[in-house]
Structures are given as C-alpha cells and as structure tokens.
Amino acid sequence: MNFDDVIESVRKPFASATSLSPEVFTSPKWFDFEKEHILYKHWNFVGLQQNVPGIGDYFVTELYGESIIIIRDHDKRLHAFLNVCRHRCSKVLSDSGSCRVIRCPFHAWTYRLDGSLKRATDFPDMPEHQKRELGLKELRCESWQGLIFVTFSQDTPSIDEMLSDLSKDFHNYPLEDMHCVRERKDEVRVNWKLYNDIDTDPGHGPVHSSTIGAQEYELSSSKRYYRTLFMPSNNSSALLPKDYGNGFDHIPNLPGRAKNGTLYLQFFPALYVILTQDCAWWLNKTPVDHQTTILRVGYMFPEETVQRDDFEEVVKTYFQRWDQVVEEDNWIMEQQQLGMSSAFSSSGPLSEQDRYVWDLHNWYVDRVQEAKEGIICTDRSVTSSINGRIKTVG
C-alpha cells in the first residue's frame, strides 16, 4: 500500500488534485486497514430504537463479520453484546424478538439482560468471581434521534461530543418521534467509499435523468465526524417532480432551514440522513469486503401522517421515488466498481462538480494520516487489537 501516493494526489490544490487512487477502492489490504483504523474506531449505525421499545426486546445484526445483539435491559438501557457464548462460542440469539433472559441454545448457559452470567450449566460450584469474568462481551452503544450506534473502540468520543456543534436545525428536527414504515436492504457489488461519494455528488444527475434529475445543494459544514448539506426548495425532495403537490402535508413548526428545503447529514463513516419537509429517510452502507456493501435504507414519517386514512395509497408515490433512485444509484455504483477494477484504471481530474467528493476524499486521507505511523510500525492482527477494546460484562 503506497500511502504517500494516495495522500499526495488528493492533497494538492483543487485545480490540480485528482480523486483517490483506484487501489483504495479495490484492494483487500486497504479494506483490512480501514476496518481496524477507521471503521472500528467510529460509531456505526445498526438500527432503530423503535425496534427495541420494551424490556427484553432485541434484534441481531452483523457488522464487519461480527454478529451483534442489541437489547434493552430491565432498566431500559440499551446494550450491544457480541453474539458469542462464553462457554463454547455458539451464537446465543438470532433474528429479533423479546426474552426474559439470554439463553444459549447449545448448553443452556444463561445471561441476564445486562449481559452478566446468571447460570453456567454443569458448573454448579463456579465461584462468583469467575462468573463475573464470563459475561457476554460488550461493545459501546449509544443513540441519537432514535438511531442506534455501536463502536468497537473505548476511546472514541461520545456521539453527543461528536455532534455538539451540529446545527440546531438537525437536533430540533422531530426525527426521534417519526415512525420507520419500511426498510429495504440491497447487496451492492461496490466499495463502501464509492457509495459515500455518490451521496453528495451533484454531478451524477445524468444517472437520474428520468427521475429526480440533478440535485443542486450546498455544503454547509465539513467537520471531523460529519458533513452537512442543504438544498433549498418549497417542495419535498422525497417526491418526483411530476408528483409535487400530490404528497403529504408538510410537518408544522419545523426548525430553521428545515421548513425551506432539505437537510443532509453525512455522519462518518457511512450513514446518510435526509430530513425534508414531510418525511425523512436514511441510507447506511456496511462494508462486507473491499468490493461488496450492504445498503440499508429506511423511510420515516410522522405518526400523524401514518395514521391518515389515505396513507397506504399516498405513500406509494414516495416509495416509487425512493426505490427508483436507489436502484439507479446501485446500478451506476456497480459500473464504477467494475471500471475501478481494471488493471488500466487511474485517478482522474476533478471538475467543479467534484468539489464535494474531493472534500470527502480529504476526510479519508486525514484518517489515513492519523493511522499511518501505527500501520507502518505494527503487524498486530485486527482480532488481537480489537479484543483489547471490548469489555466483558460482570
């Protein structure tokens, strides 16, 4: 991996800079680097609080090859546990549901909802101090606006710290009170960073020429942990232009600029939240490997809107717009990944339309530079370093 070449090409003044090297999007070695030094160290979106409303409610998700349980304990606190029994390493839960205790299906080791070991089958004389050391391994888990996140790092700042200077327009938008009425999940043959690029690429209007067309938005802020954008419009960006005026009522009393357009939050590494006048939606990209990404998209509306008698009929217009645009993006992303994988591909020049992508590539280079010295000086495996950052519940 040639770090210096990657950094040099992007760090030049915009007029002479290029995009990231294709190697960054196609190399398994780069992906291994990203997992340990970028992805594991950030907050990763895993789901919604509405899916675990009560005591004992849980769902199981997968993140970078690890199965993770999200569960609410008796004090209604959220936890994220590695889905691995401390006896013989079986998975303990699957899918989603509700439980009074967490019981391994293999040998019936039983854990409390807070992850502590309650009963170790066939170990009647196990001392309490040993039980305290054999609780489920726990990741840090936090939420913001009804969205749940986990991180593998004990050193990562809290989400509240990361978003402390985020515009009040985002904090005051009623996202937490909205209901996710539908999710879609796609496996896309593309590197996760390319999908990050297209989220804020105003130049890819030709891909959507028959749907939403070109999107003209402005970069409002570019920070260490997030970027925000704004697109002014009197119409909901969740509708196709042909359907303007046929959607739901705008949400009353929206804060600041939210009532006059669409707010975009790109929360690194891979969550994109869009807040518009009548609804909201999110897109999350979870890398599987260097050329495969799981794309999840969720569609959210105020409860009052969901309760409308005509909701099921009118919402079809929104689903049509969202699904068409996602499928168009998925298609062009796979075409770009194929091109990136050519032995003859190379970085290209940047037009004014690529300025936001260049800004995003500089964010990535910043993260590379932060990790560069450690990468060169150590050959620790991903697994061994991660084990030192996970606590055991006891």
Side-chain angles (χ1 to χ4, degrees):
M1 293 183 288
N2 193 328
F3 293 94
D4 291 333
D5 287 349
V6 171
I7 291 171
E8 182 182 359
S9 66
V10 176
R11 283 298 197 222
K12 292 178 180 178
F14 178 73
S16 56
T18 69
S19 55
L20 284 168
S21 165
E23 180 189 14
V24 177
F25 303 99
T26 60
S27 165
K29 291 183 178 179
W30 271 104
F31 181 66
D32 289 342
F33 151 72
E34 292 167 352
K35 278 203 300 185
E36 181 160 358
H37 293 273
I38 298 178
L39 300 173
Y40 283 143
K41 292 184 177 182
H42 281 74
W43 287 102
N44 297 270
F45 171 73
V46 291
L48 304 171
Q49 287 208 50
Q50 74 174 52
N51 294 330
V52 281
I55 294 171
D57 291 344
Y58 71 87
F59 63 84
V60 175
T61 188
E62 187 161 306
L63 188 63
Y64 314 133
E66 296 293 338
S67 181
I68 299 170
I69 302 166
I70 304 297
I71 194 166
R72 201 174 289 276
D73 70 12
H74 286 289
D75 294 324
K76 292 201 168 184
R77 291 179 301 179
L78 282 174
H79 295 272
F81 300 120
L82 292 179
N83 192 12
V84 180
C85 182
R86 298 301 305 280
H87 178 215
R88 296 275 297 282
C89 298
S90 170
K91 287 188 176 182
V92 294
L93 290 176
S94 59
D95 301 322
S96 62
S98 188
C99 60
R100 297 174 62 183
V101 292
I102 301 170
R103 181 175 289 108
C104 178
F106 198 3
H107 299 100
W109 274 42
T110 305
Y111 305 86
R112 299 177 182 89
L113 299 182
D114 65 1
S116 59
L117 180 62
K118 181 177 182 180
R119 178 174 178 268
T121 308
D122 298 328
F123 292 86
D125 300 321
M126 179 180 287
E128 287 301 316
H129 72 84
Q130 188 175 2
K131 281 188 177 181
R132 286 194 294 271
E133 295 172 355
L134 290 172
L136 295 173
K137 293 187 176 182
E138 184 170 14
L139 304 177
R140 290 174 63 198
C141 180
E142 294 186 7
S143 63
W144 176 78
Q145 284 276 41
L147 311 178
I148 303 172
F149 301 83
V150 301
T151 179
F152 292 88
S153 171
Q154 295 299 317
D155 302 321
T156 299
S158 70
I159 293 176
D160 285 344
E161 289 179 76
M162 287 184 174
L163 300 181
S164 61
D165 56 354
L166 180 66
S167 165
K168 291 181 179 180
D169 291 348
F170 290 90
H171 287 297
N172 295 334
Y173 188 93
L175 184 64
E176 190 166 6
D177 300 326
M178 299 175 82
H179 184 68
C180 187
V181 299
R182 181 175 172 227
E183 288 190 35
R184 67 173 289 162
K185 181 178 178 181
D186 297 85
E187 182 176 292
V188 190
R189 297 289 290 172
V190 67
N191 183 274
W192 67 280
K193 297 185 297 301
L194 289 181
Y195 224 117
N196 265 5
D197 288 353
I198 201 173
D199 279 344
T200 57
D201 177 3
H204 79 287
V207 176
H208 303 303
S209 59
S210 62
T211 52
I212 58 174
Q215 302 286 283
E216 298 181 6
Y217 36 66
E218 60 191 49
L219 183 64
S220 304
S221 62
S222 183
K223 305 286 187 176
R224 166 66 174 79
Y225 300 108
Y226 69 85
R227 297 198 306 174
T228 62
L229 300 97
F230 178 71
M231 184 172 69
S233 176
N234 294 324
N235 299 298
S236 169
S237 61
L239 292 169
L240 295 173
K242 68 181 182 65
D243 294 317
Y244 289 163
N246 297 323
F248 297 117
D249 296 335
H250 287 192
I251 301 168
N253 305 315
L254 284 175
R257 295 199 296 176
K259 60 179 174 288
N260 299 314
T262 300
L263 300 167
Y264 301 85
L265 171 64
Q266 192 167 34
F267 187 45
F268 299 129
L271 177 66
Y272 197 44
V273 181
I274 303 99
L275 312 175
T276 194
Q277 293 103 321
D278 54 355
C279 62
W281 69 102
W282 47 263
L283 302 93
N284 190 68
K285 290 81 63 179
T286 301
V288 176
D289 56 34
H290 63 290
Q291 58 184 7
T292 310
T293 298
I294 299 298
L295 174 71
R296 289 176 58 199
V297 189
Y299 309 134
M300 307 183 72
F301 290 89
E303 188 62 31
E304 312 84 72
T305 301
V306 176
Q307 295 303 322
R308 284 175 49 147
D309 292 339
D310 61 350
F311 177 76
E312 294 296 336
E313 186 60 32
V314 177
V315 78
K316 293 177 183 176
T317 305
Y318 291 78
F319 291 158
Q320 179 190 27
R321 179 266 190 229
W322 282 322
D323 287 345
Q324 282 185 274
V325 172
V326 166
E327 287 158 14
E328 289 167 351
D329 279 341
N330 287 353
W331 175 80
I332 196 61
M333 287 291 86
E334 292 188 336
Q335 298 306 303
Q336 188 180 19
Q337 184 69 39
L338 289 171
M340 286 281 184
S341 301
S342 167
F344 301 97
S345 63
S346 59
S347 301
L350 301 172
S351 73
E352 191 59 36
Q353 293 273 40
D354 297 316
R355 187 174 289 274
Y356 298 164
V357 172
W358 176 67
D359 179 77
L360 187 57
H361 287 190
N362 272 277
W363 173 86
Y364 182 81
V365 167
D366 286 342
R367 307 292 78 76
V368 171
Q369 287 187 306
E370 287 176 356
K372 180 182 176 183
E373 182 176 349
I375 287 288
I376 292 174
C377 296
T378 182
D379 59 358
R380 296 175 303 148
S381 70
V382 169
T383 303
S384 64
S385 65
I386 286 301
N387 280 338
R389 298 201 289 266
I390 295 175
K391 71 173 183 178
T392 297
V393 177

